[in-house]
Amino acid sequence: AIQRANDDVLEAIGESAKHELLQIGHALSRLDAGTYFSCAECGAAIAEGRLRAIPYTDRCTQCASRTP
């Protein structure tokens, strides 16, 4: 039972890592396209502090707070 629980935790960590790597790939694509610093929803600039905290974000704070 303990081994199965450990396997479940490791699987969840792996899925989370895959998702984060995908987001980083999208951020690199936006950087290449010149849209990295702009919100994908409203077009406003994404605050530098937000990008430092979440480098792969594509939404400004205001739009991110509206997205579920």
Side-chain angles (χ1 to χ4, degrees):
I2 292 173
Q3 182 62 39
R4 179 66 184 149
N6 288 342
D7 289 347
D8 290 345
V9 169
L10 289 174
E11 184 177 342
I13 290 171
E15 289 300 316
S16 178
K18 286 179 190 177
H19 181 68
E20 190 168 351
L21 286 172
L22 183 63
Q23 289 178 306
I24 291 169
H26 289 156
L28 291 172
S29 295
R30 290 192 316 277
L31 189 60
D32 287 343
T35 60
Y36 177 74
F37 298 98
S38 300
C39 177
E41 191 168 322
C42 72
I46 301 173
E48 184 178 334
R50 178 162 171 78
L51 288 170
R52 285 186 184 182
I54 311 169
Y56 50 78
T57 189
D58 67 346
R59 303 275 192 273
C60 67
T61 304
Q62 189 174 19
C63 289
S65 68
R66 290 191 303 250
T67 305

mmCIF file of all heavy atoms in Angstrom, residues 3-45:
data_model
loop_
_atom_site.group_PDB
_atom_site.id
_atom_site.type_symbol
_atom_site.label_atom_id
_atom_site.label_comp_id
_atom_site.label_asym_id
_atom_site.label_seq_id
_atom_site.Cartn_x
_atom_site.Cartn_y
_atom_site.Cartn_z
ATOM 1 N N GLN A 3 3.933 1.505 -1.159
ATOM 2 C CA GLN A 3 4.581 1.620 -2.470
ATOM 3 C C GLN A 3 3.620 2.218 -3.496
ATOM 4 O O GLN A 3 3.995 3.055 -4.293
ATOM 5 C CB GLN A 3 5.075 0.246 -2.943
ATOM 6 C CG GLN A 3 5.796 0.279 -4.271
ATOM 7 C CD GLN A 3 7.067 1.114 -4.246
ATOM 8 O OE1 GLN A 3 7.805 1.102 -3.269
ATOM 9 N NE2 GLN A 3 7.302 1.861 -5.308
ATOM 10 N N ARG A 4 2.364 1.804 -3.453
ATOM 11 C CA ARG A 4 1.354 2.330 -4.384
ATOM 12 C C ARG A 4 1.132 3.819 -4.144
ATOM 13 O O ARG A 4 1.020 4.596 -5.090
ATOM 14 C CB ARG A 4 0.036 1.558 -4.229
ATOM 15 C CG ARG A 4 -1.060 2.043 -5.121
ATOM 16 C CD ARG A 4 -0.740 1.796 -6.584
ATOM 17 N NE ARG A 4 -1.788 2.377 -7.386
ATOM 18 C CZ ARG A 4 -1.624 2.876 -8.569
ATOM 19 N NH1 ARG A 4 -0.445 2.846 -9.151
ATOM 20 N NH2 ARG A 4 -2.619 3.393 -9.237
ATOM 21 N N ALA A 5 1.094 4.223 -2.893
ATOM 22 C CA ALA A 5 0.934 5.641 -2.559
ATOM 23 C C ALA A 5 2.127 6.441 -3.077
ATOM 24 O O ALA A 5 1.957 7.531 -3.635
ATOM 25 C CB ALA A 5 0.775 5.823 -1.056
ATOM 26 N N ASN A 6 3.334 5.890 -2.910
ATOM 27 C CA ASN A 6 4.534 6.556 -3.425
ATOM 28 C C ASN A 6 4.489 6.672 -4.943
ATOM 29 O O ASN A 6 4.868 7.697 -5.517
ATOM 30 C CB ASN A 6 5.795 5.815 -2.987
ATOM 31 C CG ASN A 6 6.108 5.982 -1.512
ATOM 32 O OD1 ASN A 6 5.608 6.901 -0.855
ATOM 33 N ND2 ASN A 6 6.921 5.085 -0.984
ATOM 34 N N ASP A 7 4.038 5.617 -5.599
ATOM 35 C CA ASP A 7 3.917 5.636 -7.057
ATOM 36 C C ASP A 7 2.944 6.722 -7.512
ATOM 37 O O ASP A 7 3.203 7.426 -8.486
ATOM 38 C CB ASP A 7 3.449 4.276 -7.584
ATOM 39 C CG ASP A 7 4.517 3.200 -7.463
ATOM 40 O OD1 ASP A 7 5.699 3.540 -7.212
ATOM 41 O OD2 ASP A 7 4.168 2.016 -7.608
ATOM 42 N N ASP A 8 1.846 6.864 -6.790
ATOM 43 C CA ASP A 8 0.855 7.890 -7.131
ATOM 44 C C ASP A 8 1.450 9.287 -6.982
ATOM 45 O O ASP A 8 1.229 10.159 -7.822
ATOM 46 C CB ASP A 8 -0.393 7.761 -6.258
ATOM 47 C CG ASP A 8 -1.213 6.518 -6.582
ATOM 48 O OD1 ASP A 8 -0.993 5.910 -7.661
ATOM 49 O OD2 ASP A 8 -2.060 6.148 -5.747
ATOM 50 N N VAL A 9 2.210 9.508 -5.919
ATOM 51 C CA VAL A 9 2.845 10.812 -5.690
ATOM 52 C C VAL A 9 3.857 11.100 -6.790
ATOM 53 O O VAL A 9 3.889 12.198 -7.355
ATOM 54 C CB VAL A 9 3.511 10.869 -4.296
ATOM 55 C CG1 VAL A 9 4.386 12.104 -4.155
ATOM 56 C CG2 VAL A 9 2.451 10.831 -3.204
ATOM 57 N N LEU A 10 4.681 10.125 -7.122
ATOM 58 C CA LEU A 10 5.678 10.309 -8.174
ATOM 59 C C LEU A 10 5.020 10.572 -9.522
ATOM 60 O O LEU A 10 5.504 11.395 -10.306
ATOM 61 C CB LEU A 10 6.600 9.093 -8.256
ATOM 62 C CG LEU A 10 7.573 8.925 -7.087
ATOM 63 C CD1 LEU A 10 8.330 7.608 -7.221
ATOM 64 C CD2 LEU A 10 8.539 10.096 -7.012
ATOM 65 N N GLU A 11 3.934 9.907 -9.800
ATOM 66 C CA GLU A 11 3.209 10.132 -11.049
ATOM 67 C C GLU A 11 2.660 11.558 -11.107
ATOM 68 O O GLU A 11 2.758 12.231 -12.132
ATOM 69 C CB GLU A 11 2.066 9.127 -11.201
ATOM 70 C CG GLU A 11 1.347 9.253 -12.526
ATOM 71 C CD GLU A 11 0.259 8.214 -12.690
ATOM 72 O OE1 GLU A 11 0.259 7.193 -11.979
ATOM 73 O OE2 GLU A 11 -0.606 8.424 -13.556
ATOM 74 N N ALA A 12 2.118 12.032 -10.002
ATOM 75 C CA ALA A 12 1.575 13.398 -9.946
ATOM 76 C C ALA A 12 2.696 14.422 -10.137
ATOM 77 O O ALA A 12 2.526 15.412 -10.853
ATOM 78 C CB ALA A 12 0.859 13.627 -8.624
ATOM 79 N N ILE A 13 3.832 14.187 -9.533
ATOM 80 C CA ILE A 13 4.977 15.096 -9.692
ATOM 81 C C ILE A 13 5.432 15.098 -11.146
ATOM 82 O O ILE A 13 5.719 16.145 -11.715
ATOM 83 C CB ILE A 13 6.124 14.695 -8.746
ATOM 84 C CG1 ILE A 13 5.730 14.983 -7.298
ATOM 85 C CG2 ILE A 13 7.413 15.432 -9.103
ATOM 86 C CD1 ILE A 13 6.698 14.419 -6.266
ATOM 87 N N GLY A 14 5.480 13.929 -11.753
ATOM 88 C CA GLY A 14 5.882 13.831 -13.151
ATOM 89 C C GLY A 14 4.941 14.581 -14.079
ATOM 90 O O GLY A 14 5.371 15.282 -14.989
ATOM 91 N N GLU A 15 3.640 14.441 -13.846
ATOM 92 C CA GLU A 15 2.653 15.148 -14.668
ATOM 93 C C GLU A 15 2.777 16.656 -14.491
ATOM 94 O O GLU A 15 2.673 17.408 -15.460
ATOM 95 C CB GLU A 15 1.239 14.675 -14.334
ATOM 96 C CG GLU A 15 0.929 13.280 -14.804
ATOM 97 C CD GLU A 15 1.065 13.126 -16.318
ATOM 98 O OE1 GLU A 15 0.594 14.005 -17.065
ATOM 99 O OE2 GLU A 15 1.655 12.124 -16.750
ATOM 100 N N SER A 16 2.998 17.084 -13.264
ATOM 101 C CA SER A 16 3.173 18.514 -12.988
ATOM 102 C C SER A 16 4.405 19.051 -13.711
ATOM 103 O O SER A 16 4.371 20.135 -14.297
ATOM 104 C CB SER A 16 3.288 18.741 -11.484
ATOM 105 O OG SER A 16 3.493 20.103 -11.201
ATOM 106 N N ALA A 17 5.483 18.294 -13.682
ATOM 107 C CA ALA A 17 6.717 18.706 -14.353
ATOM 108 C C ALA A 17 6.515 18.785 -15.868
ATOM 109 O O ALA A 17 6.986 19.724 -16.514
ATOM 110 C CB ALA A 17 7.841 17.738 -14.016
ATOM 111 N N LYS A 18 5.808 17.818 -16.439
ATOM 112 C CA LYS A 18 5.525 17.834 -17.880
ATOM 113 C C LYS A 18 4.725 19.078 -18.259
ATOM 114 O O LYS A 18 5.007 19.730 -19.264
ATOM 115 C CB LYS A 18 4.748 16.588 -18.302
ATOM 116 C CG LYS A 18 5.553 15.333 -18.359
ATOM 117 C CD LYS A 18 4.663 14.163 -18.757
ATOM 118 C CE LYS A 18 5.356 12.843 -18.608
ATOM 119 N NZ LYS A 18 4.485 11.708 -18.910
ATOM 120 N N HIS A 19 3.733 19.405 -17.436
ATOM 121 C CA HIS A 19 2.896 20.577 -17.697
ATOM 122 C C HIS A 19 3.737 21.864 -17.631
ATOM 123 O O HIS A 19 3.606 22.743 -18.478
ATOM 124 C CB HIS A 19 1.741 20.619 -16.702
ATOM 125 C CG HIS A 19 0.816 21.767 -16.896
ATOM 126 N ND1 HIS A 19 -0.014 21.884 -17.993
ATOM 127 C CD2 HIS A 19 0.606 22.873 -16.151
ATOM 128 C CE1 HIS A 19 -0.695 23.008 -17.901
ATOM 129 N NE2 HIS A 19 -0.342 23.627 -16.798
ATOM 130 N N GLU A 20 4.596 21.940 -16.625
ATOM 131 C CA GLU A 20 5.441 23.130 -16.482
ATOM 132 C C GLU A 20 6.419 23.257 -17.646
ATOM 133 O O GLU A 20 6.630 24.349 -18.171
ATOM 134 C CB GLU A 20 6.184 23.095 -15.158
ATOM 135 C CG GLU A 20 6.882 24.409 -14.853
ATOM 136 C CD GLU A 20 7.379 24.515 -13.425
ATOM 137 O OE1 GLU A 20 7.049 23.659 -12.591
ATOM 138 O OE2 GLU A 20 8.116 25.477 -13.164
ATOM 139 N N LEU A 21 6.992 22.163 -18.090
ATOM 140 C CA LEU A 21 7.899 22.207 -19.238
ATOM 141 C C LEU A 21 7.176 22.650 -20.506
ATOM 142 O O LEU A 21 7.729 23.399 -21.323
ATOM 143 C CB LEU A 21 8.566 20.843 -19.454
ATOM 144 C CG LEU A 21 9.643 20.482 -18.450
ATOM 145 C CD1 LEU A 21 10.086 19.034 -18.638
ATOM 146 C CD2 LEU A 21 10.832 21.426 -18.560
ATOM 147 N N LEU A 22 5.940 22.214 -20.672
ATOM 148 C CA LEU A 22 5.136 22.640 -21.810
ATOM 149 C C LEU A 22 4.910 24.151 -21.758
ATOM 150 O O LEU A 22 5.045 24.847 -22.764
ATOM 151 C CB LEU A 22 3.805 21.895 -21.825
ATOM 152 C CG LEU A 22 2.870 22.174 -22.984
ATOM 153 C CD1 LEU A 22 3.497 21.736 -24.300
ATOM 154 C CD2 LEU A 22 1.551 21.447 -22.774
ATOM 155 N N GLN A 23 4.587 24.665 -20.569
ATOM 156 C CA GLN A 23 4.380 26.102 -20.407
ATOM 157 C C GLN A 23 5.664 26.878 -20.693
ATOM 158 O O GLN A 23 5.624 27.946 -21.308
ATOM 159 C CB GLN A 23 3.890 26.410 -18.987
ATOM 160 C CG GLN A 23 2.475 25.951 -18.727
ATOM 161 C CD GLN A 23 2.058 26.225 -17.304
ATOM 162 O OE1 GLN A 23 2.729 25.827 -16.362
ATOM 163 N NE2 GLN A 23 0.956 26.928 -17.157
ATOM 164 N N ILE A 24 6.801 26.353 -20.270
ATOM 165 C CA ILE A 24 8.081 27.009 -20.541
ATOM 166 C C ILE A 24 8.347 27.037 -22.039
ATOM 167 O O ILE A 24 8.803 28.047 -22.580
ATOM 168 C CB ILE A 24 9.219 26.310 -19.775
ATOM 169 C CG1 ILE A 24 9.058 26.571 -18.277
ATOM 170 C CG2 ILE A 24 10.587 26.772 -20.263
ATOM 171 C CD1 ILE A 24 9.949 25.722 -17.384
ATOM 172 N N GLY A 25 8.035 25.953 -22.721
ATOM 173 C CA GLY A 25 8.188 25.916 -24.180
ATOM 174 C C GLY A 25 7.339 26.976 -24.861
ATOM 175 O O GLY A 25 7.793 27.646 -25.796
ATOM 176 N N HIS A 26 6.109 27.154 -24.389
ATOM 177 C CA HIS A 26 5.236 28.188 -24.950
ATOM 178 C C HIS A 26 5.799 29.574 -24.672
ATOM 179 O O HIS A 26 5.745 30.458 -25.547
ATOM 180 C CB HIS A 26 3.824 28.068 -24.382
ATOM 181 C CG HIS A 26 3.083 26.880 -24.876
ATOM 182 N ND1 HIS A 26 2.045 26.315 -24.180
ATOM 183 C CD2 HIS A 26 3.220 26.126 -25.982
ATOM 184 C CE1 HIS A 26 1.582 25.273 -24.842
ATOM 185 N NE2 HIS A 26 2.282 25.137 -25.945
ATOM 186 N N ALA A 27 6.369 29.768 -23.481
ATOM 187 C CA ALA A 27 6.966 31.062 -23.141
ATOM 188 C C ALA A 27 8.150 31.359 -24.057
ATOM 189 O O ALA A 27 8.314 32.490 -24.521
ATOM 190 C CB ALA A 27 7.403 31.084 -21.679
ATOM 191 N N LEU A 28 8.954 30.358 -24.338
ATOM 192 C CA LEU A 28 10.089 30.557 -25.248
ATOM 193 C C LEU A 28 9.608 30.901 -26.657
ATOM 194 O O LEU A 28 10.212 31.738 -27.335
ATOM 195 C CB LEU A 28 10.982 29.315 -25.265
ATOM 196 C CG LEU A 28 11.761 29.052 -23.972
ATOM 197 C CD1 LEU A 28 12.446 27.692 -24.030
ATOM 198 C CD2 LEU A 28 12.767 30.163 -23.721
ATOM 199 N N SER A 29 8.527 30.290 -27.079
ATOM 200 C CA SER A 29 7.948 30.614 -28.388
ATOM 201 C C SER A 29 7.456 32.058 -28.424
ATOM 202 O O SER A 29 7.644 32.764 -29.411
ATOM 203 C CB SER A 29 6.786 29.670 -28.710
ATOM 204 O OG SER A 29 7.240 28.357 -28.862
ATOM 205 N N ARG A 30 6.811 32.497 -27.330
ATOM 206 C CA ARG A 30 6.354 33.886 -27.250
ATOM 207 C C ARG A 30 7.533 34.855 -27.249
ATOM 208 O O ARG A 30 7.470 35.926 -27.845
ATOM 209 C CB ARG A 30 5.483 34.107 -26.008
ATOM 210 C CG ARG A 30 4.129 33.430 -26.091
ATOM 211 C CD ARG A 30 3.158 33.882 -25.012
ATOM 212 N NE ARG A 30 3.716 33.989 -23.679
ATOM 213 C CZ ARG A 30 3.865 32.981 -22.828
ATOM 214 N NH1 ARG A 30 3.488 31.761 -23.179
ATOM 215 N NH2 ARG A 30 4.365 33.173 -21.634
ATOM 216 N N LEU A 31 8.626 34.456 -26.595
ATOM 217 C CA LEU A 31 9.830 35.289 -26.578
ATOM 218 C C LEU A 31 10.379 35.435 -28.001
ATOM 219 O O LEU A 31 10.693 36.543 -28.441
ATOM 220 C CB LEU A 31 10.875 34.674 -25.650
ATOM 221 C CG LEU A 31 12.101 35.510 -25.336
ATOM 222 C CD1 LEU A 31 11.726 36.816 -24.661
ATOM 223 C CD2 LEU A 31 13.055 34.720 -24.449
ATOM 224 N N ASP A 32 10.452 34.334 -28.731
ATOM 225 C CA ASP A 32 10.918 34.366 -30.125
ATOM 226 C C ASP A 32 10.006 35.216 -31.000
ATOM 227 O O ASP A 32 10.465 35.906 -31.908
ATOM 228 C CB ASP A 32 10.994 32.951 -30.710
ATOM 229 C CG ASP A 32 12.152 32.143 -30.155
ATOM 230 O OD1 ASP A 32 13.088 32.725 -29.579
ATOM 231 O OD2 ASP A 32 12.113 30.897 -30.291
ATOM 232 N N ALA A 33 8.705 35.178 -30.723
ATOM 233 C CA ALA A 33 7.733 35.926 -31.527
ATOM 234 C C ALA A 33 7.636 37.398 -31.121
ATOM 235 O O ALA A 33 6.958 38.181 -31.779
ATOM 236 C CB ALA A 33 6.357 35.266 -31.407
ATOM 237 N N GLY A 34 8.269 37.743 -29.998
ATOM 238 C CA GLY A 34 8.220 39.124 -29.537
ATOM 239 C C GLY A 34 6.967 39.468 -28.748
ATOM 240 O O GLY A 34 6.666 40.639 -28.545
ATOM 241 N N THR A 35 6.244 38.460 -28.279
ATOM 242 C CA THR A 35 5.011 38.705 -27.536
ATOM 243 C C THR A 35 5.113 38.299 -26.068
ATOM 244 O O THR A 35 4.118 38.325 -25.344
ATOM 245 C CB THR A 35 3.831 37.944 -28.176
ATOM 246 O OG1 THR A 35 4.127 36.538 -28.165
ATOM 247 C CG2 THR A 35 3.586 38.406 -29.603
ATOM 248 N N TYR A 36 6.301 37.966 -25.608
ATOM 249 C CA TYR A 36 6.500 37.450 -24.254
ATOM 250 C C TYR A 36 6.025 38.425 -23.177
ATOM 251 O O TYR A 36 5.454 38.013 -22.172
ATOM 252 C CB TYR A 36 7.976 37.114 -24.039
ATOM 253 C CG TYR A 36 8.312 36.637 -22.651
ATOM 254 C CD1 TYR A 36 7.945 35.359 -22.229
ATOM 255 C CD2 TYR A 36 9.008 37.439 -21.757
ATOM 256 C CE1 TYR A 36 8.259 34.907 -20.952
ATOM 257 C CE2 TYR A 36 9.329 36.992 -20.484
ATOM 258 C CZ TYR A 36 8.952 35.734 -20.089
ATOM 259 O OH TYR A 36 9.260 35.284 -18.829
ATOM 260 N N PHE A 37 6.258 39.703 -23.372
ATOM 261 C CA PHE A 37 5.959 40.703 -22.347
ATOM 262 C C PHE A 37 4.532 41.227 -22.413
ATOM 263 O O PHE A 37 4.148 42.072 -21.616
ATOM 264 C CB PHE A 37 6.954 41.867 -22.443
ATOM 265 C CG PHE A 37 8.372 41.431 -22.201
ATOM 266 C CD1 PHE A 37 9.230 41.171 -23.264
ATOM 267 C CD2 PHE A 37 8.848 41.261 -20.918
ATOM 268 C CE1 PHE A 37 10.539 40.769 -23.043
ATOM 269 C CE2 PHE A 37 10.155 40.845 -20.675
ATOM 270 C CZ PHE A 37 11.000 40.598 -21.752
ATOM 271 N N SER A 38 3.731 40.724 -23.353
ATOM 272 C CA SER A 38 2.352 41.191 -23.516
ATOM 273 C C SER A 38 1.359 40.124 -23.088
ATOM 274 O O SER A 38 1.545 38.933 -23.366
ATOM 275 C CB SER A 38 2.084 41.533 -24.983
ATOM 276 O OG SER A 38 2.949 42.551 -25.415
ATOM 277 N N CYS A 39 0.293 40.566 -22.439
ATOM 278 C CA CYS A 39 -0.762 39.664 -21.996
ATOM 279 C C CYS A 39 -1.463 39.060 -23.216
ATOM 280 O O CYS A 39 -1.845 39.775 -24.145
ATOM 281 C CB CYS A 39 -1.764 40.427 -21.130
ATOM 282 S SG CYS A 39 -3.178 39.443 -20.596
ATOM 283 N N ALA A 40 -1.635 37.745 -23.207
ATOM 284 C CA ALA A 40 -2.293 37.048 -24.311
ATOM 285 C C ALA A 40 -3.783 37.372 -24.384
ATOM 286 O O ALA A 40 -4.403 37.207 -25.425
ATOM 287 C CB ALA A 40 -2.100 35.543 -24.166
ATOM 288 N N GLU A 41 -4.347 37.862 -23.282
ATOM 289 C CA GLU A 41 -5.774 38.138 -23.257
ATOM 290 C C GLU A 41 -6.098 39.592 -23.621
ATOM 291 O O GLU A 41 -6.913 39.853 -24.491
ATOM 292 C CB GLU A 41 -6.357 37.806 -21.882
ATOM 293 C CG GLU A 41 -7.864 37.806 -21.849
ATOM 294 C CD GLU A 41 -8.410 37.210 -20.570
ATOM 295 O OE1 GLU A 41 -7.841 36.230 -20.074
ATOM 296 O OE2 GLU A 41 -9.416 37.743 -20.077
ATOM 297 N N CYS A 42 -5.449 40.536 -22.949
ATOM 298 C CA CYS A 42 -5.805 41.948 -23.151
ATOM 299 C C CYS A 42 -4.737 42.750 -23.896
ATOM 300 O O CYS A 42 -5.001 43.870 -24.306
ATOM 301 C CB CYS A 42 -6.113 42.618 -21.810
ATOM 302 S SG CYS A 42 -4.656 42.909 -20.784
ATOM 303 N N GLY A 43 -3.540 42.201 -24.046
ATOM 304 C CA GLY A 43 -2.475 42.881 -24.764
ATOM 305 C C GLY A 43 -1.664 43.841 -23.923
ATOM 306 O O GLY A 43 -0.670 44.396 -24.396
ATOM 307 N N ALA A 44 -2.044 44.048 -22.674
ATOM 308 C CA ALA A 44 -1.294 44.947 -21.792
ATOM 309 C C ALA A 44 0.051 44.321 -21.437
ATOM 310 O O ALA A 44 0.245 43.104 -21.564
ATOM 311 C CB ALA A 44 -2.091 45.220 -20.520
ATOM 312 N N ALA A 45 0.962 45.156 -20.976
ATOM 313 C CA ALA A 45 2.269 44.659 -20.550
ATOM 314 C C ALA A 45 2.123 43.812 -19.296
ATOM 315 O O ALA A 45 1.341 44.139 -18.399
ATOM 316 C CB ALA A 45 3.205 45.822 -20.282
#
